[in-house]
Amino acid sequence: MLQRGSRSNSFGAMRMLCWWGFGFVGLMFVKLVQGFEDSNVTNMLYYNNNRPLMVGLTLIYGAAAKGAVCLDGSLPGYHFHRGYGAGSNSWLIQLEGGGWCGNIRNCIYSKKTRHGSSAFMEKQIPFVGILSNKAEENPDFYNWNRIKIRYCDGASFTGDSQNERAGLYFRGQRIWLAAMEDLMSKGMRYAKQALLSGCSAGGLATILHCDEFREMFPRTTRVKCLSDAGLFLDAVDVSGHRSLRNFFGSVVALQGAQRNLPRTCTSRLNPILCFFPQHSIASVKAPLFLLNAAYDTWQIQASLAPPSADYHWNWYDCRKNYARCSGPQMQYLQGFRNQMLRVVRRFSRSRKNGLFINSCFAHCQSERQDTWFARDSPHIGNRGIAQSVGNWYFDRVQVQAIGCPYPCDKTCHNLVFN
């Protein structure tokens, strides 16, 4: 359970079960099942002290006829809260995160969870952070039509294949299209403003589908995209290998995602590399905002220093608690931050794009109230995350915010794992 104090959050001992008895793919899957990036968990403290808006699950009943089904063949769904007043013709779509599944065994397990079947999805979820309906919590988007599309395909809404023998349906691309069609029929086609957002695997999906989303609307509609914690890097891990590239390769191959990745990338690179945003962000035509922690905790634990690469468990303490990292380990993490800054260099040259890269040990900051918009939420300079995103979306101020390296940022809400 989360505990407040010194701006750190603890996920509890159960989070560490993933380190035992699993290889890297198993780790990825356990993160998927336990909801590492699940805002329903990370907002526990907020729920204890406030009463957030609870929004019910809507299944897309026309999806099955299009083959747009979850891993287990069940109907996909979303949570929808109508906008009002000045926001009645504005639409915010948030794509849920939840890891990936890259082999048959893990996908079979996943289809028995909320990330693989609507039968296990919560019937209601709280809308907080960027989905909040309160002006004091979400000043720019509180009265918009706000939708959270549930994630149940395991490939960031890109797969389009199946495995009949295992009873698995990899239909992420079809789910994306079915959800968009359903929402268009409910009024989104008349949108004057639209924002596609997502966190983690949903943040990656936001980047991959950004231009598709833009093309669904007239040119007169203001359409932009916000990726939160979706900037996954093709980084070398502590053993000198590329654990995440190997894993993403298995996801792309198993789920047939290659045909649905941006052609501006696949026309010149291996599709596996195109699953990494670093190779496609500069060619996204629609305005795109990247919100990311420079020391993304998911990437530290599952990509940079996963147990499968940490042969002698030298990183065990560091990956749980940044304060326990040695000097050489922090130097290695500073190198990861430098790689991230190099990746966004070309992207940031376009004035239409936005950046907020703070030097925090965090993951997914738009879905949590304490990091999105609160009295002590993270800042770069004198602006927090919600204000920066709003300024960029409404063209009030150009936003290219990059925080100074650790440990100078004192506004972080760093994650600590017990």
Side-chain angles (χ1 to χ4, degrees):
M1 182 174 291
L2 293 178
Q3 298 177 349
R4 202 164 183 88
S6 68
R7 293 186 180 172
S8 294
N9 300 309
S10 168
F11 277 105
M14 79 172 199
R15 297 290 177 188
M16 295 311 300
L17 290 176
C18 62
W19 301 123
W20 301 97
F22 291 88
F24 177 71
V25 173
L27 167 67
M28 299 287 287
F29 176 67
V30 170
K31 292 299 185 187
L32 164 65
V33 174
Q34 293 182 343
F36 183 92
E37 56 267 287
D38 186 352
S39 63
N40 300 344
V41 175
T42 56
N43 281 289
M44 282 183 183
L45 277 174
Y46 176 79
Y47 306 155
N48 288 340
N49 299 310
N50 299 273
R51 291 190 177 184
L53 173 71
M54 301 298 293
V55 181
L57 177 66
T58 299
L59 296 179
I60 307 172
Y61 286 102
K66 303 177 179 69
V69 293
C70 298
L71 286 172
D72 70 335
S74 61
L75 292 173
Y78 55 75
H79 302 260
F80 180 11
H81 188 250
R82 284 276 182 187
Y84 62 91
S88 58
N89 286 325
S90 298
W91 292 70
L92 189 156
I93 309 297
Q94 186 186 53
L95 302 177
E96 184 183 28
W100 307 269
C101 67
N103 62 47
I104 296 298
R105 180 180 179 183
N106 286 347
C107 291
I108 288 176
Y109 193 93
S110 182
K111 76 176 186 177
K112 299 176 183 177
T113 75
R114 67 184 182 274
H115 289 307
S117 171
S118 57
F120 297 98
M121 292 177 184
E122 303 91 333
K123 303 310 176 190
Q124 289 188 320
I125 63 170
F127 270 26
V128 295
I130 196 172
L131 293 176
S132 174
N133 66 325
K134 301 174 183 176
E136 65 271 22
E137 296 176 349
N138 187 24
D140 283 310
F141 309 108
Y142 71 96
N143 61 350
W144 284 32
N145 296 282
R146 300 171 326 285
I147 298 95
K148 183 161 190 171
I149 299 177
R150 300 305 295 267
Y151 179 50
C152 64
D153 67 277
S156 288
F157 296 90
T158 62
D160 194 1
S161 64
Q162 68 183 76
N163 187 301
E164 293 183 10
R165 185 174 180 180
L168 289 168
Y169 300 87
F170 306 119
R171 302 289 177 76
Q173 178 70 19
R174 299 192 198 190
I175 291 173
W176 155 258
L177 292 173
M180 292 299 101
E181 183 178 346
D182 197 59
L183 292 170
M184 285 290 188
S185 72
K186 293 182 176 178
M188 192 167 72
R189 70 180 64 180
Y190 305 114
K192 300 299 183 184
Q193 302 180 125
L195 175 62
L196 177 66
S197 68
C199 156
S200 196
L204 171 57
T206 296
I207 295 170
L208 297 176
H209 288 293
C210 183
D211 282 338
E212 284 182 72
F213 188 66
R214 164 67 271 186
E215 292 303 315
M216 294 176 182
F217 298 91
R219 303 313 298 177
T220 54
T221 304
R222 183 198 298 265
V223 181
K224 299 188 179 186
C225 306
L226 163 66
S227 173
D228 179 6
L231 188 58
F232 297 97
L233 300 185
D234 183 17
V236 176
D237 64 33
V238 295
S239 70
H241 298 97
R242 294 183 183 270
S243 295
L244 192 55
R245 182 189 292 188
N246 293 336
F247 182 73
F248 275 0
S250 67
V251 173
V252 170
L254 177 67
Q255 301 216 23
Q258 60 272 12
R259 66 181 68 94
N260 296 315
L261 299 176
R263 288 196 176 95
T264 53
C265 183
T266 56
S267 63
R268 55 189 174 83
L269 293 175
N270 186 303
I272 296 171
L273 296 179
C274 295
F275 209 66
F276 286 95
Q278 68 193 74
H279 299 298
S280 59
I281 53 174
S283 59
V284 174
K285 296 177 183 177
L288 174 63
F289 192 102
L290 298 178
L291 165 61
N292 234 90
Y295 314 100
D296 185 282
T297 51
W298 188 94
Q299 294 192 62
I300 291 172
Q301 296 194 34
S303 174
L304 295 180
S308 59
D310 184 19
Y311 307 134
H312 303 291
W313 290 83
N314 295 326
W315 282 78
Y316 179 79
D317 288 332
C318 176
R319 64 178 168 240
K320 290 194 302 179
N321 186 342
Y322 63 96
R324 297 175 182 171
C325 296
S326 66
Q329 287 172 331
M330 277 308 311
Q331 187 175 3
Y332 181 85
L333 295 180
Q334 299 291 18
F336 176 75
R337 174 183 177 272
N338 291 338
Q339 180 182 351
M340 185 178 293
L341 298 187
R342 288 194 297 271
V343 162
V344 301
R345 189 173 298 156
R346 179 184 167 198
F347 168 86
S348 64
R349 290 175 188 157
S350 174
R351 294 181 61 85
K352 75 179 191 301
N353 295 327
L355 277 177
F356 190 100
I357 298 181
N358 54 356
S359 294
C360 302
F361 290 80
H363 185 72
C364 291
Q365 299 178 89
S366 65
E367 295 186 335
R368 291 173 44 180
Q369 195 60 55
D370 66 326
T371 49
W372 173 248
F373 192 76
R375 184 178 56 191
D376 64 343
S377 58
H379 280 64
I380 295 179
N382 61 350
R383 294 192 179 98
I385 294 171
Q387 185 181 6
S388 297
V389 172
N391 283 344
W392 162 79
Y393 184 86
F394 294 104
D395 298 318
R396 294 190 291 246
V397 178
Q398 186 180 12
V399 181
Q400 301 279 350
I402 297 176
C404 53
Y406 176 83
C408 74
D409 191 341
K410 307 303 181 184
T411 70
C412 289
H413 290 214
N414 293 314
L415 294 174
V416 173
F417 302 82
N418 288 334

